[in-house]
């Protein structure tokens, strides 16, 4: 290896970004997975079991897991900012900007929508936690009432995340644009020494 040859560095991967997204969006996807299973099974929302299975308990546990992360505002915004910065580090400014803009909202909005399309007349959703709901053989506890809390959190979080998105998005497009690949050493070596070598060889032969 020549002294002036610099080994190529592997570009940063999006694996750390994907881990942050999985923490925030994984529980919401689990909520919708349970809901799609009950929909495919033809189970209408109600207190009765779904084909003898208490799918309500699975939905309740998935919602509880999601609310644990999504309703913790510092954790929600902190992980979203971290995911955006990791995307910028991987030279994906557009991905980082969309991450910070959408991730906090979707992690709250998706489970909230799942609750709204699943509740029925005798299944209240109240910010004051008034009333109880029994769904598919299980008591939902606070997992349904937290959907009303999530709506208020979205209203409070969106202005801050939008402002941060504008600031970090502008910085990202200036400092996190994809880097141009440098020319390989072999091409540079040929460019420096190729003409001289061919000229010397032709002069020697003549």
């Amino acid at each position: 290896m020549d002294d002036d040859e610099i080994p190529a560095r592997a570009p940063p991967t999006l694996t750390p970004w994907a881990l942050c997204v999985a923490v925030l969006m994984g529980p919401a996807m689990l909520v919708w997975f349970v809901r799609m299973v009950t929909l495919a099974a033809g189970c209408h929302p109600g207190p009765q079991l779904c084909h003898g299975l208490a799918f309500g308990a699975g939905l309740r546990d998935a919602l509880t897991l999601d609310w644990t992360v999504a309703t913790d505002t510092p954790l929600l915004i902190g992980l979203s900012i971290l995911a955006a910065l990791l995307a910028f580090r991987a030279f994906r400014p557009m991905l980082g900007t969309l991450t910070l803009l959408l991730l906090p909202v979707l992690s709250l909005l998706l489970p909230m929508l799942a609750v709204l399309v699943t509740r029925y007349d005798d299944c209240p959703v109240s910010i004051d936690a008034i009333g109880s709901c029994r769904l598919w053989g299980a008591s939902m506890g606070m997992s349904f009432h937290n959907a009303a809390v999530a709506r208020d959190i979205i209203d409070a979080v969106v202005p801050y995340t939008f402002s941060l998105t504008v600031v970090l998005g502008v910085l990202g497009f200036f400092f996190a644009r994809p880097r141009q690949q440098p020319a390989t050493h072999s091409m540079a070596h040929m460019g420096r020494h190729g003409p001289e070598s061919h000229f010397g060889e032709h002069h020697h032969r003549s």
Side-chain angles (χ1 to χ4, degrees), residues 52-75:
L53 299 174
F55 278 109
L59 184 63
R60 179 195 61 209
D61 293 343
L63 283 168
T64 301
L65 177 61
D66 184 88
W67 299 135
T68 300
V69 178
T71 57
D72 188 339
T73 306
L75 180 62

Side-chain angles (χ1 to χ4, degrees), residues 25-206:
M25 296 301 299
M29 295 296 101
L30 184 59
V31 169
W32 274 100
F33 173 77
V34 176
R35 187 63 185 95
M36 290 297 103
V37 169
T38 58
L39 186 63
C43 300
H44 299 287
Q48 69 281 353
L49 293 174
C50 176
H51 297 297
L53 299 174
F55 278 109
L59 184 63
R60 179 195 61 209
D61 293 343
L63 283 168
T64 301
L65 177 61
D66 184 88
W67 299 135
T68 300
V69 178
T71 57
D72 188 339
T73 306
L75 180 62
L76 175 67
I77 296 179
L79 282 176
S80 300
I81 293 175
L82 178 60
L85 293 176
L86 289 171
F88 290 151
R89 182 175 178 269
F91 307 113
R92 303 290 182 87
M94 180 61 74
L95 180 63
T97 302
L98 292 176
T99 295
L100 187 54
L101 181 64
L102 299 178
L103 200 58
V105 176
L106 290 178
S107 60
L108 288 162
L109 184 62
L110 289 178
M112 185 181 74
L113 290 177
V115 170
L116 294 180
V117 301
T118 306
R119 64 178 298 275
Y120 55 97
D121 291 339
D122 295 329
C123 184
V125 174
S126 169
I127 194 171
D128 297 320
I130 299 175
S132 61
C133 175
R134 188 168 185 84
L135 177 69
W136 293 319
S139 175
M140 303 310 292
M142 284 297 297
S143 63
F144 266 33
H145 292 309
N146 281 333
V149 178
R151 181 178 55 193
D152 292 341
I153 295 177
I154 291 175
D155 294 338
V157 163
V158 165
Y160 295 103
T161 56
F162 182 79
S163 301
L164 286 172
T165 300
V166 172
V167 174
L168 291 181
V170 171
L171 293 176
F173 276 99
F174 275 104
F175 298 105
R177 288 180 297 179
R179 294 181 179 177
Q180 201 171 21
Q181 292 293 335
T184 61
H185 172 73
S186 58
M187 294 178 63
H189 182 77
M190 289 177 60
R192 289 195 303 267
H193 303 291
E196 291 85 352
S197 300
H198 288 296
F199 177 78
E201 183 181 355
H202 177 74
H203 180 73
H204 178 71
R205 288 179 179 178
S206 57

